[in-house]
Amino acid sequence: MIYLETDNLTLRSLVDSDWSNFYEMNSSEEICRFIRPPEPAAQIREVFDQRKKTWNYELNEWLALVLEDRQGNFVGYSGFRRIDKEYNDVEVGYMLRPSAQGKGFATEALKRVVEWGITEYGIRKFIGYCDIENIGSQRVMQKTGFKQEGVLREHVKNGERWVDDCVFGLLSREF
């Protein structure tokens, strides 16, 4: 079980009782609008079951940490997955409940995840992608110290729409 803390948050591994929040987040059009179309319940359940298993960095699977405020209220998720074994680079991700957005939680969580990744796994570089229209996500990465490295034109398809993705990077020595 992974358990991390910040001034305002607890970050922990997924458990069975997190299902309703996980489903809510991954089935909401509002929350998923910059990521992907909401998924069917069976597919969300499959992802949930995989992500609540004991996480193994070597398997390149997503680490999904639950974010809770100091009162124990669910805020969202943050984590990473290794994308390059040779260079030890990871892709970061985060997803917040709309009522928790704009309060600094994503930045605080991402900073803690980066710090933990460097300490525990010697990660060399953290990479983040976000829809060019997702200004909030761009700000989170910038406040965490990530630098925009470019724009990937029509990088992914979100429903019927091709999306240009901003690419951000943070070298561990810059953190």
Side-chain angles (χ1 to χ4, degrees), residues 105-123:
F105 290 138
T107 303
E108 188 172 333
L110 185 56
K111 285 179 180 178
R112 183 65 180 102
V113 165
V114 166
E115 177 185 54
W116 181 75
I118 292 168
T119 302
E120 290 296 313
Y121 299 99
I123 294 169

Side-chain angles (χ1 to χ4, degrees), residues 43-106:
Q43 191 173 349
I44 295 170
R45 185 66 202 206
E46 191 176 303
V47 171
F48 176 77
D49 288 342
Q50 184 277 319
R51 293 199 180 152
K52 73 175 180 154
K53 291 180 183 174
T54 301
W55 179 72
N56 183 337
Y57 180 70
E58 299 298 321
L59 296 179
N60 305 345
E61 296 171 340
W62 273 105
L63 167 64
L65 296 173
V66 174
L67 310 179
E68 294 174 329
D69 66 18
R70 284 292 174 208
Q71 291 72 45
N73 299 310
F74 173 76
V75 170
Y77 301 100
S78 187
F80 58 75
R81 69 182 177 107
R82 187 170 66 173
I83 57 173
D84 189 298
K85 187 175 184 173
E86 181 180 358
Y87 297 121
N88 205 23
D89 297 346
V90 299
E91 177 183 357
V92 298
Y94 41 86
M95 177 186 258
L96 262 64
R97 177 177 264 171
S99 62
Q101 294 175 6
K103 298 179 180 179
F105 290 138

